Amino acid sequence: MKLNQYAVYRVDQTSSGKDLWRLPYDMVQKKKLQIRIEFYRQQRIEKVSADDTAITIWNRRKDSFEVSDVLVLNKEGELTTYYISEDYLTPIEGFIRMNSSGALISMDTVDYHLENRKGSWMATDYIIIDGKQFFLLEHTEYRDKVPAVVLDAYGKIMADNVKNGFDDAVKQQIRDQIRPQEQTKLTPQKQQLQRLEIWQKYYQNGEWLRQAESGGEANYDMVDGRVNNLPKQPEKTKAKKRKKKESVIGKLHKKQIEIAIRSGKPIPKYLEQNRELNKR
């Protein structure tokens, strides 16, 4: 079962994005201000039903929103973001970006060359599904006159011959590749472990989806990589017998006895006593 939830972000007035505070979207565009997550702080995160949309959430909680807030909606693993003005919502892009290590594709990608295809390609749109970012690339010269292609951040083709952007058919093609049919054959226990591994990666990367685990925990401080705080199974380890270490003084006395024996000199009484004690 997928988690449906939304989060609200509010301008951090101590950040360099303080000029966004309570500005409607048309003024943001006029002033050419950037809307970036670094300029915001998360206010809350709540679960919603599968039937909820950004509009229904906004209408229901309108009194608690401020102009310039950003609403981030996670529906079945797909993220969408909206800038809140006084009486309307505006879909925005680029608020949340997944900065994957080793990624080849980003929204800044231009002059990209695809195998067995003529010309160069450029990123014109993106979508986030299940915590992964996918990019729509159009031909640099012909743009929408030729079909586009969708790649993941590492250059793998996720959907080809794309004519209508990220429509439902393209989204389904992406989902079919990131959640192959073999997954349905997994036992519920293995599926739970697989989901846990995914959320643990989000937690380590510090992305917004890290918060998703908190929706199933009693408190945010219980976001610890264990579903519903189940105790970890104790690891089986073989008991090892600790080897007694010889002291530095003992090694010194042993060396002094060896020297005395080699030189034919009598062993000092205190060393002889220590040797007898060590034999017991």
Side-chain angles (χ1 to χ4, degrees), residues 2-49:
K2 280 289 182 180
L3 183 65
N4 296 296
Q5 60 183 11
Y6 78 95
V8 177
Y9 289 82
R10 184 156 294 165
V11 173
D12 180 358
Q13 297 183 60
T14 65
S15 73
S16 54
K18 60 185 177 182
D19 291 341
L20 289 165
W21 177 239
R22 291 185 174 174
L23 275 186
Y25 187 71
D26 57 347
M27 290 299 297
V28 172
Q29 288 185 306
K30 185 176 181 179
K31 294 187 175 185
K32 298 182 179 179
L33 300 177
Q34 291 185 314
I35 307 170
R36 295 161 50 184
I37 195 169
E38 301 96 293
F39 302 152
Y40 283 74
R41 289 183 179 178
Q42 188 184 99
Q43 293 294 299
R44 64 177 174 272
I45 181 170
E46 297 179 3
K47 291 182 180 180
V48 294
S49 72

Side-chain angles (χ1 to χ4, degrees), residues 180-191:
Q181 295 299 321
E182 286 76 14
Q183 187 172 5
T184 61
K185 300 178 183 179
L186 296 177
T187 64
Q189 183 180 8
K190 288 185 177 180
Q191 289 182 8

Side-chain angles (χ1 to χ4, degrees), residues 9 16 38-39 80 92 102 104 145 156 161 166 169 180 188 192 200 224 244 248 255 272-275:
Y9 289 82
S16 54
E38 301 96 293
F39 302 152
T80 49
I92 59 174
L104 297 176
K145 294 181 181 179
K156 179 182 177 182
N161 198 31
F166 291 110
Q192 185 182 41
Q200 181 66 14
D224 54 4
K244 186 177 180 181
V248 176
K255 192 68 175 178
E272 186 66 40
Q273 291 173 354
N274 287 338
R275 185 167 68 166

Side-chain angles (χ1 to χ4, degrees), residues 100-157:
S100 304
S101 176
L104 297 176
I105 313 295
S106 72
M107 279 304 294
D108 298 323
T109 297
V110 295
D111 197 28
Y112 189 83
H113 293 272
L114 294 167
E115 187 175 0
N116 299 324
R117 300 183 192 228
K118 296 181 179 180
S120 63
W121 300 73
M122 61 184 294
T124 59
D125 197 4
Y126 78 95
I127 192 172
I128 298 174
I129 297 177
D130 288 354
K132 300 179 180 66
Q133 198 165 13
F134 304 94
F135 300 88
L136 181 74
L137 270 69
E138 295 182 349
H139 196 280
T140 304
E141 182 179 356
Y142 299 110
R143 300 302 292 269
D144 57 356
K145 294 181 181 179
V146 297
V149 61
V150 174
L151 306 181
D152 68 6
Y154 304 97
K156 179 182 177 182
I157 295 178

Side-chain angles (χ1 to χ4, degrees), residues 201-230:
K201 289 179 181 178
Y202 298 154
Y203 177 81
Q204 292 169 348
N205 291 335
E207 304 292 356
W208 177 81
L209 282 177
R210 162 187 175 181
Q211 307 292 338
E213 189 190 344
S214 68
E217 301 288 5
N219 296 296
Y220 182 77
D221 59 6
M222 293 181 181
V223 180
D224 54 4
R226 297 199 300 274
V227 177
N228 295 328
N229 301 303
L230 293 177

